[in-house]
Amino acid sequence: MNIDHYENFPVASWLCPKPLRPPIAAIYHFARTADDLADEGDVSTAQRQADLQAYRADLHAIFQGQACSPRWAAQVFEPLRHASLQYRLPLRLLDDLLDAFEQDLHQSSYADRPELLNYCRRSANPVGRLLLHLYGIDDALALQRSDAICSSLQLINFWQDFSRDGPRGRVYAPRADLLRHGLTEDELRQCQDSPAARALIAELCAWAEDLMRQGAPLVHQIPGRAGWELRLVVQGGLRILERIRAMQFASLTQRPQIGPLDAPRLLLRAMLMRPQSNQKETS
């Protein structure tokens, strides 16, 4: 998993209600640090596994009212302890994130879309559910929409990062989709651009967009400024897909990005999102 993925989520910005900024920041630093342990630096897989196991032990310690190790205490676990006591954060969701990071250590490709979505269920969806938990929103439809948005953001990050993940030996395009387009995992690892590869990426982008549009009505369930922040998150994800389309789905060879110049467009599109507009509400 690439650490940029967590930049897709709102991190205690000015749009977030002030009382929720510390717990959101605590969740972010927990996920970001675990992601770094799994991915960053020149460290052996065995050491990464050991670090993540120690990290999980500290997580469970604070939930049991015990002391954690000093290694991550100040930046991660003391703020998370305070947030968990104040908001009763579900330990299971934090554990799910660590499961996904550990999975990255031994799995570098996926058989089909359900298997990849199962990974997203643990790598991305817990973040959205934790944010909903902070807002006291737990109805089934809201959770379903949150999962759709978060899984879409994770998929968009994958399609954005083909040129980064391939050289690292990771292929997030499901093998079933590769086979249908006559492609191999090695072609994606080597970032070999071709008409077939672009057709594959176009199809994968359509899948991610469909998921995002399924989840987008959630923006109208989130109160106040946080709902506006979620609008921008949704529109940011859709804008990356738009960038990939504009480069004719050549993201195996170049990484699409959005920047400050996209802000006015994203803000306008966020303002135009309306309830009861179905598929048009995110366009």
Side-chain angles (χ1 to χ4, degrees):
M1 184 189 304
N2 189 289
I3 59 174
D4 289 346
H5 167 63
Y6 285 99
E7 306 300 346
N8 285 330
F9 293 100
V11 185
S13 79
W14 65 273
L15 281 174
C16 178
K18 190 173 181 179
L20 293 184
R21 293 175 194 173
I24 290 175
I27 292 167
Y28 169 80
H29 286 300
F30 169 81
R32 179 70 179 263
T33 302
D35 203 343
D36 287 347
L37 292 175
D39 252 2
E40 295 301 297
D42 187 16
V43 181
S44 69
T45 299
Q47 184 59 54
R48 295 184 192 281
Q49 183 72 52
D51 286 342
L52 285 172
Q53 289 175 350
Y55 198 75
R56 191 190 296 270
D58 278 348
L59 171 65
H60 283 248
I62 66 166
F63 270 79
Q64 294 166 7
Q66 301 171 1
C68 61
S69 72
R71 183 175 178 184
W72 304 286
Q75 183 180 19
V76 177
F77 287 113
E78 289 308 325
L80 191 64
R81 183 199 303 273
H82 182 75
S84 67
L85 289 173
Q86 186 175 5
Y87 292 96
R88 298 183 179 275
L89 298 179
L91 175 60
R92 175 184 57 80
L93 294 176
L94 299 167
D95 262 331
D96 282 347
L97 288 172
L98 295 186
D99 288 345
F101 297 132
E102 290 185 347
Q103 182 172 330
D104 276 330
L105 299 181
H106 59 79
Q107 183 169 354
S108 59
S109 63
Y110 293 82
D112 51 30
R113 293 187 181 189
E115 186 179 35
L116 185 57
L117 285 177
N118 186 49
Y119 172 77
C120 295
R121 179 185 63 80
R122 286 167 290 114
S123 70
N125 298 3
V127 177
R129 287 183 173 237
L130 284 164
L131 294 178
L132 287 184
H133 177 84
L134 292 177
Y135 284 101
I137 299 174
D138 61 0
D139 67 274
L141 182 57
L143 293 174
Q144 178 183 339
R145 287 170 170 171
S146 173
D147 288 349
I149 290 174
C150 291
S151 289
S152 176
L153 287 170
Q154 177 74 91
L155 294 176
I156 291 168
N157 182 244
F158 291 152
W159 317 152
Q160 180 184 27
D161 277 352
F162 276 124
S163 62
R164 291 183 174 183
D165 290 330
R168 301 171 77 174
R170 292 181 177 171
V171 177
Y172 290 104
R175 286 193 295 275
D177 292 85
L178 290 171
L179 182 62
R180 190 170 59 256
H181 287 272
L183 297 165
T184 66
E185 290 183 11
D186 281 343
E187 288 176 278
L188 263 67
R189 290 191 183 98
Q190 295 167 18
C191 297
Q192 294 180 9
D193 190 21
S194 67
R198 295 193 187 199
L200 166 72
I201 295 170
E203 188 177 284
L204 294 175
C205 287
W207 174 32
E209 181 173 356
D210 182 60
L211 273 176
M212 184 67 81
R213 295 190 185 280
Q214 289 177 36
L218 179 64
V219 304
H220 305 297
Q221 292 182 254
I222 306 296
R225 294 184 299 179
W228 284 96
E229 184 159 33
L230 182 58
R231 289 172 185 239
L232 292 173
V233 170
V234 168
Q235 293 301 332
L238 292 173
R239 181 61 173 158
I240 292 172
L241 293 176
E242 191 173 54
R243 290 284 193 190
I244 296 174
R245 283 194 296 270
M247 55 196 280
Q248 298 182 320
F249 304 102
S251 55
L252 279 171
T253 57
Q254 53 184 310
R255 186 178 188 268
Q257 298 184 66
I258 58 175
L261 293 179
D262 292 290
R265 183 191 304 263
L266 297 181
L267 182 59
L268 177 60
R269 291 178 175 180
M271 293 174 64
L272 292 175
M273 295 176 75
R274 296 286 186 270
Q276 311 301 324
S277 297
N278 298 324
Q279 297 300 317
K280 295 182 180 180
E281 71 181 343
T282 55
S283 60

